[in-house]
Amino acid sequence: MAGENYTRMVEFILIGFSDVPKLQGFLFTIFLIMYVNILIGNGLIIAITKTDPALQTPMYFFLGNFSFLEICYTSVILPKLLTNLWSHNKNITLLACAVQLFSFLILATTECFLLSVMAYDRYVAICKPLNYPVIMNHKFCVQLVVASWISGIPVQIGQTYRIFSLSFCGSNIINHLFCDIPPLLKIACGDTSMTELSVYIVAVLFAMVSFVLIIWSYIKIITQILKLPSATGRYKAFSTCFSHVTVVSLFYGSIGIMYLRPKASHSEATDKVLSLFYTIVTPMFNPLIYSLRNKEVIAALRKLLLK
């Protein structure tokens, strides 16, 4: 009995898609294809933003960093999920679970900040075009990216510590695809209300503040676009923002549905499907979103592939 309790304290079991055993091989193939597409698609975006002279601008500098972030984001989740599907071994150690949660939180926070930075870049480009090269100089762009990556680290260290300071004495089974806060709180013992409160405060602090900054930027952008005299000018100005608006909508829309819907409508199966959108589906479609309507990206991709 003592040995069983000790095992429960040092490792968890990630259920994942164990409830559909006949689909394990099919799901492994699908997720492997998606992961390869994410690596190739985002890798190509990184390559062209680093090598093509026409893309050496702040917008594409941020896009390259965003693509690198997406690769890191999915690499925290998908390799373990693929291993679970292939080997049928669902175990994950307490330390590995903590590292996965911490990495996921840091990368999600970075994505929020980086999307805000990209919105600010579009705001300066459209609303202050004459001062754009001065304001968005390379040093400032690097500072914005570094700040996006490191700003959330101290807070998320505290978040991860609070979660894994809880006692998991009832069960070690996590009915989810990866170590996330809601499924971990479900299996924690004792009163978790203060931990849940801190989670919501941090979510508001990071996700909502960055979302408000994005909305503010686009209110200013739309106001400026409507002042343009020609329809062609308005279309051209808005087309530079279309890809970013689409990515923001997918990211915040899926997270909002996942975490802000009423508790009564929560189900573990639905949570798994929704989590796939912001951890796998959105990073897979981002390269397509940024390239389909962007002639500069398409031209750079053609040159790279011809080489």
Side-chain angles (χ1 to χ4, degrees):
M1 196 64 185
E4 183 181 351
N5 288 337
Y6 179 76
T7 301
R8 289 183 176 182
M9 290 177 64
V10 298
E11 69 176 7
F12 297 106
I13 298 174
L14 279 171
I15 294 297
F17 292 104
S18 298
D19 50 345
V20 283
K22 294 182 180 179
L23 295 178
Q24 299 288 292
F26 173 75
L27 290 172
F28 175 84
T29 304
I30 293 297
F31 289 134
L32 180 61
I33 292 171
M34 294 174 79
Y35 189 40
V36 171
N37 284 334
I38 289 167
L39 295 177
I40 293 174
N42 287 283
L44 286 173
I45 295 292
I46 294 170
I48 62 174
T49 55
K50 291 293 184 183
T51 59
D52 196 288
L55 303 185
Q56 302 307 304
T57 64
M59 182 176 76
Y60 294 110
F61 173 73
F62 295 133
L63 178 57
N65 279 274
F66 187 73
S67 294
F68 175 70
L69 171 67
E70 296 295 68
I71 290 175
C72 295
Y73 198 55
T74 52
S75 295
V76 168
I77 309 298
L78 266 175
K80 180 59 180 174
L81 177 59
L82 289 170
T83 302
N84 288 354
L85 289 169
W86 179 259
S87 67
H88 305 290
N89 178 14
K90 316 299 180 185
N91 293 356
I92 182 170
T93 65
L94 185 73
L95 177 60
C97 189
V99 170
Q100 187 181 59
L101 177 63
F102 174 69
S103 302
F104 170 72
L105 293 176
I106 286 296
L107 294 170
T109 303
T110 303
E111 182 149 1
C112 291
F113 288 152
L114 203 50
L115 287 172
S116 300
V117 167
M118 295 168 80
Y120 177 72
D121 172 68
R122 293 298 83 208
Y123 157 73
V124 177
I126 293 172
C127 299
K128 301 181 179 181
L130 297 178
N131 296 325
Y132 181 72
V134 177
I135 296 173
M136 302 303 294
N137 59 77
H138 183 69
K139 181 180 178 181
F140 184 55
C141 292
V142 172
Q143 289 173 342
L144 287 174
V145 168
V146 171
S148 298
W149 278 93
I150 68 174
S151 295
I153 291 177
V155 175
Q156 299 301 359
I157 288 175
Q159 282 281 83
T160 306
Y161 176 77
R162 285 184 69 90
I163 295 296
F164 285 91
S165 294
L166 299 170
S167 298
F168 300 101
C169 55
S171 173
N172 67 338
I173 297 175
I174 301 174
N175 193 3
H176 201 53
L177 306 180
F178 58 95
C179 292
D180 198 4
I181 292 177
L184 284 168
L185 289 177
K186 282 183 181 180
I187 63 173
C189 302
D191 184 15
T192 61
S193 57
M194 292 304 296
T195 304
E196 290 180 21
L197 178 61
S198 71
V199 169
Y200 281 112
I201 290 173
V202 171
V204 170
L205 180 65
F206 290 143
M208 291 303 296
V209 168
S210 63
F211 185 69
V212 168
L213 289 173
I214 292 170
I215 295 298
W216 175 85
S217 296
Y218 276 105
I219 289 173
K220 294 287 187 180
I221 288 170
I222 292 170
T223 303
Q224 185 66 26
I225 288 175
L226 293 176
K227 292 179 182 178
L228 296 176
S230 68
T232 304
R234 289 194 294 270
Y235 174 79
K236 187 177 180 181
F238 183 74
S239 65
T240 64
C241 305
F242 178 81
S243 299
H244 182 256
V245 171
T246 305
V247 170
V248 168
S249 301
L250 286 172
F251 179 72
Y252 280 99
S254 57
I255 285 184
I257 295 171
M258 176 74 179
Y259 293 103
L260 300 180
R261 59 202 169 98
K263 285 189 175 181
S265 64
H266 276 238
S267 73
E268 290 168 337
T270 305
D271 288 348
K272 291 177 188 179
V273 173
L274 288 174
S275 68
L276 290 176
F277 276 90
Y278 62 85
T279 58
I280 301 173
V281 176
T282 301
M284 184 178 68
F285 282 113
N286 282 348
L288 291 174
I289 292 169
Y290 276 105
S291 61
L292 286 177
R293 291 174 58 91
N294 193 314
K295 293 180 181 179
E296 292 177 326
V297 171
I298 292 173
L301 283 171
R302 281 176 180 168
K303 283 195 289 184
L304 181 68
L305 293 175
L306 287 173
K307 287 180 181 179

